[in-house]
Amino acid sequence: MKLYSYFRSSAAYRVRIALNLKGLTHDIVPVNLLKSEQQGEQYLEKNIQGLLPALETEQGMLGQSLAILEWLEETTDTTPILPSDPWQKAQVRNLAYAIAVDIHPLNNLRVLKYLTNELAVTDEQKTKWYQDWIMTGFDKVEKMLGDTAFCCGEEPTLADICLVPQVYNALRFNTPMDNYPKIMAIYNHCNTLKAFTDAAPEQQIDAQ
């Protein structure tokens, strides 16, 4: 498999974690978002959406990180990232979607570029936008978490795979995190695992 990735892409970060957790052999193919390589003809032939990540498999190309994660779960029998119980599975998805669907889209690179290029906001205003939407989401996520080692129990799941990249970005934008002790405890615990640390942006071949 080949994972088309950018080292700071939150969505690609999720897939890197999952591939590592499941011990799946794969190659990383860097695509530079800052140079808009995802909009180049060569990449668009592989992923018509022009987004990252994309996973190239023997069956073809698959985009959208959540779809990739679900496919990996359904086609592999190593290290499950979703519980077998339907209710517990729904709880994991509930947390994962709260992050990947409700928080992340408001802060991805396309939105930040639009704020700067089209609306001419200042760097200070852009940072405030980023931080406000992170905190709005984390206020709710913090209350959804229990006192377990990971988001939903004692093993990493899809929820943790979504949480860690979002916290990484929150810290990168200097978002105040004092009000989120459970989130930070889970983030720090996840980062004691090699599958998470090896997927971190600074460990990628295209890290700058």
Side-chain angles (χ1 to χ4, degrees):
M1 290 187 291
K2 292 182 181 179
L3 177 65
Y4 293 82
S5 171
Y6 177 64
F7 77 111
R8 279 185 175 161
S9 163
S10 297
Y13 192 171
R14 296 171 198 151
V15 179
R16 295 196 302 261
I17 295 170
L19 289 168
N20 291 345
L21 280 171
K22 289 181 171 292
L24 298 174
T25 301
H26 61 283
D27 294 323
I28 297 288
V29 181
V31 179
N32 194 319
L33 294 181
L34 297 184
K35 295 181 179 179
S36 298
E37 289 180 355
Q38 78 280 11
Q39 295 298 322
E41 182 178 348
Q42 185 175 4
Y43 183 72
L44 288 173
E45 288 178 356
K46 296 180 178 294
N47 182 3
I48 194 170
Q49 288 184 286
L51 300 173
L52 290 177
L55 186 67
E56 188 172 348
T57 76
E58 292 180 353
Q59 295 174 273
M61 189 72 70
L62 186 61
Q64 291 294 335
S65 64
L66 294 179
I68 293 171
L69 295 170
E70 294 273 2
W71 179 79
L72 290 173
E73 180 70 353
E74 292 175 3
T75 57
T76 62
D77 55 8
T78 58
T79 313
I81 59 174
L82 284 169
S84 57
D85 177 79
W87 179 253
Q88 293 177 352
K89 187 181 297 183
Q91 297 305 303
V92 170
R93 285 182 171 135
N94 191 46
L95 269 167
Y97 297 171
I99 298 163
V101 177
D102 291 339
I103 300 175
H104 175 245
L106 289 164
N107 293 291
N108 66 25
L109 185 61
R110 287 190 299 172
V111 171
L112 299 181
K113 280 185 173 182
Y114 189 87
L115 290 172
T116 300
N117 298 335
E118 303 299 326
L119 300 184
V121 304
T122 65
D123 286 344
E124 182 180 357
Q125 290 171 321
K126 183 176 70 173
T127 298
K128 187 176 187 306
W129 166 281
Y130 198 104
Q131 293 175 343
D132 283 353
W133 287 117
I134 289 282
M135 292 187 289
T136 296
F138 278 180
D139 285 345
K140 308 304 181 186
V141 170
E142 180 75 11
K143 294 175 182 178
M144 296 163 69
L145 297 170
D147 295 316
T148 52
F150 297 98
C151 286
C152 297
E154 302 305 320
E155 299 293 336
T157 65
L158 178 67
D160 304 283
I161 289 170
C162 290
L163 180 69
V164 166
Q166 195 65 72
V167 175
Y168 181 93
N169 281 344
L171 296 173
R172 187 164 71 90
F173 278 80
N174 299 314
T175 306
M177 297 296 289
D178 291 344
N179 291 334
Y180 313 116
K182 292 180 180 179
I183 288 175
M184 288 307 301
I186 291 169
Y187 175 77
N188 290 327
H189 185 59
C190 285
N191 281 319
T192 65
L193 303 180
K194 184 174 172 57
F196 284 83
T197 56
D198 284 354
E202 57 270 16
Q203 299 302 318
Q204 304 312 301
I205 58 175
D206 57 333
Q208 299 173 2

